Amino acid sequence: GAGVSQSPSNKVTEKGKDVELRCDPISGHTALYWYRQRLGQGLEFLIYFQGNSAPDKSGLPSDRFSAERTGESVSTLTIQRTQQEDSAVYLCASSLGLAGGLDEQFFGPGTRLTVL
Amino acid sequence: AQKVTQAQTEISVVEKEDVTLDCVYETRDTTYYLFWYKQPPSGELVFLIRRNSFDEQNEISGRYSWNFQKSTSSFNFTITASQVVDSAVYFCALVDSSYKLIFGSGTRLLVRP
């Protein structure tokens, strides 16, 4: 596709359930990022992939959060045993992966997660 | 450590007024990029500008202009003759050798007719 796509666009789940959020980056982009935006706040970095490996997982808030990427393409962010504080918009971005990370990141529309 | 500060939480102006959104950043790197993004009520992030640390020339794009001053670590954004459609949350962001975008907390701009 022309841009970064994310699915689902909205997800409502019950506390304690696991959720999977998907990101399809722009074709040819080797770098992929996940961010979280809580209501009324700025974006927080979660994790960065270069190819299929994740050199920086420092932003993941707890061990309930994990992410993987396969085929240098699709990435999945998994949240286990969701808590109400996980409610946020989860944004994915991709970039060409050039210039040591200084290239422009293109954002998807986000997945709005609501934990009841 | 990297940090971006947008001290203005919310600004309200009347249409046609000029408005400046402030951004102050911190980084130890000499090579970095600064960004401004717009987030309208629909929620998507719209890229506005990228500026690298070696280019301190001010930039103008239509009603938008940006003032980058390394001496004060600031990258301010001015909208001239604001319009109602400019109402949005505006984020300033920094990326350096750590490759992750560090966002400010955003400034909500309300342009009243």
PDB file of all heavy atoms in Angstrom, chain B residues 5-25:
ATOM      1  N   THR B   5      10.553  20.009  25.081  1.00  0.00           N
ATOM      2  CA  THR B   5       9.616  20.707  25.961  1.00  0.00           C
ATOM      3  C   THR B   5       8.752  21.669  25.161  1.00  0.00           C
ATOM      4  O   THR B   5       9.263  22.530  24.437  1.00  0.00           O
ATOM      5  CB  THR B   5      10.374  21.489  27.047  1.00  0.00           C
ATOM      6  OG1 THR B   5      11.191  20.593  27.800  1.00  0.00           O
ATOM      7  CG2 THR B   5       9.394  22.181  27.985  1.00  0.00           C
ATOM      8  N   GLN B   6       7.459  21.485  25.282  1.00  0.00           N
ATOM      9  CA  GLN B   6       6.497  22.433  24.715  1.00  0.00           C
ATOM     10  C   GLN B   6       5.727  22.992  25.904  1.00  0.00           C
ATOM     11  O   GLN B   6       4.829  22.350  26.428  1.00  0.00           O
ATOM     12  CB  GLN B   6       5.555  21.732  23.731  1.00  0.00           C
ATOM     13  CG  GLN B   6       6.272  21.202  22.497  1.00  0.00           C
ATOM     14  CD  GLN B   6       5.320  20.509  21.547  1.00  0.00           C
ATOM     15  OE1 GLN B   6       5.310  19.284  21.440  1.00  0.00           O
ATOM     16  NE2 GLN B   6       4.520  21.290  20.836  1.00  0.00           N
ATOM     17  N   ALA B   7       6.136  24.158  26.320  1.00  0.00           N
ATOM     18  CA  ALA B   7       5.611  24.708  27.566  1.00  0.00           C
ATOM     19  C   ALA B   7       4.160  25.152  27.455  1.00  0.00           C
ATOM     20  O   ALA B   7       3.436  25.197  28.457  1.00  0.00           O
ATOM     21  CB  ALA B   7       6.483  25.869  28.025  1.00  0.00           C
ATOM     22  N   GLN B   8       3.733  25.468  26.254  1.00  0.00           N
ATOM     23  CA  GLN B   8       2.351  25.943  26.059  1.00  0.00           C
ATOM     24  C   GLN B   8       1.442  24.726  25.912  1.00  0.00           C
ATOM     25  O   GLN B   8       1.513  24.010  24.928  1.00  0.00           O
ATOM     26  CB  GLN B   8       2.255  26.819  24.811  1.00  0.00           C
ATOM     27  CG  GLN B   8       3.172  28.006  24.795  1.00  0.00           C
ATOM     28  CD  GLN B   8       3.560  28.381  23.370  1.00  0.00           C
ATOM     29  OE1 GLN B   8       4.005  27.538  22.612  1.00  0.00           O
ATOM     30  NE2 GLN B   8       3.405  29.650  23.017  1.00  0.00           N
ATOM     31  N   THR B   9       0.566  24.542  26.885  1.00  0.00           N
ATOM     32  CA  THR B   9      -0.341  23.401  26.817  1.00  0.00           C
ATOM     33  C   THR B   9      -1.470  23.668  25.835  1.00  0.00           C
ATOM     34  O   THR B   9      -1.848  22.800  25.051  1.00  0.00           O
ATOM     35  CB  THR B   9      -0.929  23.124  28.212  1.00  0.00           C
ATOM     36  OG1 THR B   9       0.144  22.974  29.135  1.00  0.00           O
ATOM     37  CG2 THR B   9      -1.790  21.895  28.206  1.00  0.00           C
ATOM     38  N   GLU B  10      -2.001  24.880  25.903  1.00  0.00           N
ATOM     39  CA  GLU B  10      -3.129  25.233  25.039  1.00  0.00           C
ATOM     40  C   GLU B  10      -3.058  26.712  24.691  1.00  0.00           C
ATOM     41  O   GLU B  10      -2.729  27.543  25.534  1.00  0.00           O
ATOM     42  CB  GLU B  10      -4.442  24.913  25.748  1.00  0.00           C
ATOM     43  CG  GLU B  10      -5.667  25.032  24.881  1.00  0.00           C
ATOM     44  CD  GLU B  10      -6.886  24.360  25.497  1.00  0.00           C
ATOM     45  OE1 GLU B  10      -6.743  23.291  26.096  1.00  0.00           O
ATOM     46  OE2 GLU B  10      -7.976  24.927  25.366  1.00  0.00           O
ATOM     47  N   ILE B  11      -3.346  27.014  23.434  1.00  0.00           N
ATOM     48  CA  ILE B  11      -3.388  28.404  22.973  1.00  0.00           C
ATOM     49  C   ILE B  11      -4.705  28.612  22.244  1.00  0.00           C
ATOM     50  O   ILE B  11      -5.112  27.773  21.428  1.00  0.00           O
ATOM     51  CB  ILE B  11      -2.229  28.725  22.010  1.00  0.00           C
ATOM     52  CG1 ILE B  11      -0.869  28.495  22.680  1.00  0.00           C
ATOM     53  CG2 ILE B  11      -2.333  30.157  21.509  1.00  0.00           C
ATOM     54  CD1 ILE B  11       0.302  28.684  21.729  1.00  0.00           C
ATOM     55  N   SER B  12      -5.340  29.728  22.529  1.00  0.00           N
ATOM     56  CA  SER B  12      -6.578  30.076  21.847  1.00  0.00           C
ATOM     57  C   SER B  12      -6.406  31.432  21.182  1.00  0.00           C
ATOM     58  O   SER B  12      -5.992  32.399  21.839  1.00  0.00           O
ATOM     59  CB  SER B  12      -7.745  30.104  22.833  1.00  0.00           C
ATOM     60  OG  SER B  12      -8.947  30.417  22.183  1.00  0.00           O
ATOM     61  N   VAL B  13      -6.705  31.496  19.893  1.00  0.00           N
ATOM     62  CA  VAL B  13      -6.591  32.758  19.149  1.00  0.00           C
ATOM     63  C   VAL B  13      -7.845  32.944  18.318  1.00  0.00           C
ATOM     64  O   VAL B  13      -8.610  31.999  18.083  1.00  0.00           O
ATOM     65  CB  VAL B  13      -5.350  32.787  18.242  1.00  0.00           C
ATOM     66  CG1 VAL B  13      -4.078  32.648  19.057  1.00  0.00           C
ATOM     67  CG2 VAL B  13      -5.417  31.722  17.163  1.00  0.00           C
ATOM     68  N   VAL B  14      -8.022  34.152  17.859  1.00  0.00           N
ATOM     69  CA  VAL B  14      -9.114  34.456  16.942  1.00  0.00           C
ATOM     70  C   VAL B  14      -8.565  34.364  15.521  1.00  0.00           C
ATOM     71  O   VAL B  14      -7.408  34.721  15.266  1.00  0.00           O
ATOM     72  CB  VAL B  14      -9.694  35.857  17.222  1.00  0.00           C
ATOM     73  CG1 VAL B  14     -10.764  36.210  16.204  1.00  0.00           C
ATOM     74  CG2 VAL B  14     -10.244  35.913  18.643  1.00  0.00           C
ATOM     75  N   GLU B  15      -9.397  33.895  14.640  1.00  0.00           N
ATOM     76  CA  GLU B  15      -8.993  33.743  13.244  1.00  0.00           C
ATOM     77  C   GLU B  15      -8.297  35.005  12.741  1.00  0.00           C
ATOM     78  O   GLU B  15      -8.673  36.119  13.080  1.00  0.00           O
ATOM     79  CB  GLU B  15     -10.232  33.458  12.394  1.00  0.00           C
ATOM     80  CG  GLU B  15      -9.965  32.688  11.130  1.00  0.00           C
ATOM     81  CD  GLU B  15     -11.238  32.206  10.446  1.00  0.00           C
ATOM     82  OE1 GLU B  15     -12.319  32.741  10.764  1.00  0.00           O
ATOM     83  OE2 GLU B  15     -11.132  31.305   9.610  1.00  0.00           O
ATOM     84  N   LYS B  16      -7.264  34.783  11.940  1.00  0.00           N
ATOM     85  CA  LYS B  16      -6.441  35.816  11.296  1.00  0.00           C
ATOM     86  C   LYS B  16      -5.325  36.336  12.204  1.00  0.00           C
ATOM     87  O   LYS B  16      -4.472  37.092  11.728  1.00  0.00           O
ATOM     88  CB  LYS B  16      -7.272  36.984  10.760  1.00  0.00           C
ATOM     89  CG  LYS B  16      -8.244  36.557   9.660  1.00  0.00           C
ATOM     90  CD  LYS B  16      -9.003  37.740   9.085  1.00  0.00           C
ATOM     91  CE  LYS B  16     -10.037  37.234   8.070  1.00  0.00           C
ATOM     92  NZ  LYS B  16     -10.905  38.317   7.572  1.00  0.00           N
ATOM     93  N   GLU B  17      -5.337  35.951  13.459  1.00  0.00           N
ATOM     94  CA  GLU B  17      -4.213  36.311  14.314  1.00  0.00           C
ATOM     95  C   GLU B  17      -3.016  35.439  13.970  1.00  0.00           C
ATOM     96  O   GLU B  17      -3.150  34.303  13.510  1.00  0.00           O
ATOM     97  CB  GLU B  17      -4.569  36.089  15.785  1.00  0.00           C
ATOM     98  CG  GLU B  17      -5.449  37.135  16.401  1.00  0.00           C
ATOM     99  CD  GLU B  17      -5.657  36.889  17.895  1.00  0.00           C
ATOM    100  OE1 GLU B  17      -4.862  36.138  18.506  1.00  0.00           O
ATOM    101  OE2 GLU B  17      -6.608  37.441  18.445  1.00  0.00           O
ATOM    102  N   ASP B  18      -1.820  35.960  14.228  1.00  0.00           N
ATOM    103  CA  ASP B  18      -0.613  35.155  14.130  1.00  0.00           C
ATOM    104  C   ASP B  18      -0.388  34.450  15.464  1.00  0.00           C
ATOM    105  O   ASP B  18      -0.731  34.976  16.529  1.00  0.00           O
ATOM    106  CB  ASP B  18       0.609  36.034  13.822  1.00  0.00           C
ATOM    107  CG  ASP B  18       0.489  36.768  12.495  1.00  0.00           C
ATOM    108  OD1 ASP B  18      -0.405  36.427  11.695  1.00  0.00           O
ATOM    109  OD2 ASP B  18       1.305  37.679  12.266  1.00  0.00           O
ATOM    110  N   VAL B  19       0.181  33.258  15.407  1.00  0.00           N
ATOM    111  CA  VAL B  19       0.424  32.518  16.648  1.00  0.00           C
ATOM    112  C   VAL B  19       1.751  31.775  16.532  1.00  0.00           C
ATOM    113  O   VAL B  19       2.082  31.244  15.468  1.00  0.00           O
ATOM    114  CB  VAL B  19      -0.735  31.543  16.956  1.00  0.00           C
ATOM    115  CG1 VAL B  19      -0.960  30.556  15.824  1.00  0.00           C
ATOM    116  CG2 VAL B  19      -0.529  30.831  18.275  1.00  0.00           C
ATOM    117  N   THR B  20       2.510  31.772  17.621  1.00  0.00           N
ATOM    118  CA  THR B  20       3.803  31.065  17.658  1.00  0.00           C
ATOM    119  C   THR B  20       3.761  29.973  18.707  1.00  0.00           C
ATOM    120  O   THR B  20       3.392  30.223  19.859  1.00  0.00           O
ATOM    121  CB  THR B  20       4.949  32.041  17.963  1.00  0.00           C
ATOM    122  OG1 THR B  20       5.078  32.969  16.876  1.00  0.00           O
ATOM    123  CG2 THR B  20       6.278  31.274  18.092  1.00  0.00           C
ATOM    124  N   LEU B  21       4.141  28.779  18.279  1.00  0.00           N
ATOM    125  CA  LEU B  21       4.211  27.631  19.178  1.00  0.00           C
ATOM    126  C   LEU B  21       5.687  27.392  19.513  1.00  0.00           C
ATOM    127  O   LEU B  21       6.524  27.271  18.613  1.00  0.00           O
ATOM    128  CB  LEU B  21       3.621  26.390  18.499  1.00  0.00           C
ATOM    129  CG  LEU B  21       2.235  26.565  17.864  1.00  0.00           C
ATOM    130  CD1 LEU B  21       1.758  25.260  17.262  1.00  0.00           C
ATOM    131  CD2 LEU B  21       1.236  27.090  18.880  1.00  0.00           C
ATOM    132  N   ASP B  22       5.974  27.309  20.794  1.00  0.00           N
ATOM    133  CA  ASP B  22       7.361  27.197  21.241  1.00  0.00           C
ATOM    134  C   ASP B  22       7.799  25.744  21.387  1.00  0.00           C
ATOM    135  O   ASP B  22       7.002  24.875  21.769  1.00  0.00           O
ATOM    136  CB  ASP B  22       7.545  27.906  22.587  1.00  0.00           C
ATOM    137  CG  ASP B  22       7.262  29.387  22.503  1.00  0.00           C
ATOM    138  OD1 ASP B  22       7.416  29.956  21.411  1.00  0.00           O
ATOM    139  OD2 ASP B  22       6.893  29.984  23.536  1.00  0.00           O
ATOM    140  N   CYS B  23       9.070  25.510  21.123  1.00  0.00           N
ATOM    141  CA  CYS B  23       9.656  24.176  21.301  1.00  0.00           C
ATOM    142  C   CYS B  23      11.108  24.348  21.723  1.00  0.00           C
ATOM    143  O   CYS B  23      11.885  25.043  21.053  1.00  0.00           O
ATOM    144  CB  CYS B  23       9.584  23.378  20.001  1.00  0.00           C
ATOM    145  SG  CYS B  23      10.451  21.792  20.057  1.00  0.00           S
ATOM    146  N   VAL B  24      11.467  23.725  22.823  1.00  0.00           N
ATOM    147  CA  VAL B  24      12.849  23.733  23.303  1.00  0.00           C
ATOM    148  C   VAL B  24      13.295  22.283  23.429  1.00  0.00           C
ATOM    149  O   VAL B  24      12.538  21.440  23.902  1.00  0.00           O
ATOM    150  CB  VAL B  24      12.951  24.449  24.669  1.00  0.00           C
ATOM    151  CG1 VAL B  24      14.358  24.325  25.233  1.00  0.00           C
ATOM    152  CG2 VAL B  24      12.558  25.912  24.527  1.00  0.00           C
ATOM    153  N   TYR B  25      14.502  21.994  22.992  1.00  0.00           N
ATOM    154  CA  TYR B  25      14.947  20.604  22.979  1.00  0.00           C
ATOM    155  C   TYR B  25      16.285  20.448  23.699  1.00  0.00           C
ATOM    156  O   TYR B  25      17.016  21.421  23.893  1.00  0.00           O
ATOM    157  CB  TYR B  25      15.061  20.087  21.542  1.00  0.00           C
ATOM    158  CG  TYR B  25      16.085  20.829  20.719  1.00  0.00           C
ATOM    159  CD1 TYR B  25      17.402  20.378  20.635  1.00  0.00           C
ATOM    160  CD2 TYR B  25      15.741  21.987  20.035  1.00  0.00           C
ATOM    161  CE1 TYR B  25      18.347  21.074  19.901  1.00  0.00           C
ATOM    162  CE2 TYR B  25      16.678  22.696  19.305  1.00  0.00           C
ATOM    163  CZ  TYR B  25      17.978  22.234  19.237  1.00  0.00           C
ATOM    164  OH  TYR B  25      18.920  22.927  18.514  1.00  0.00           O
TER     165      TYR B  25
END
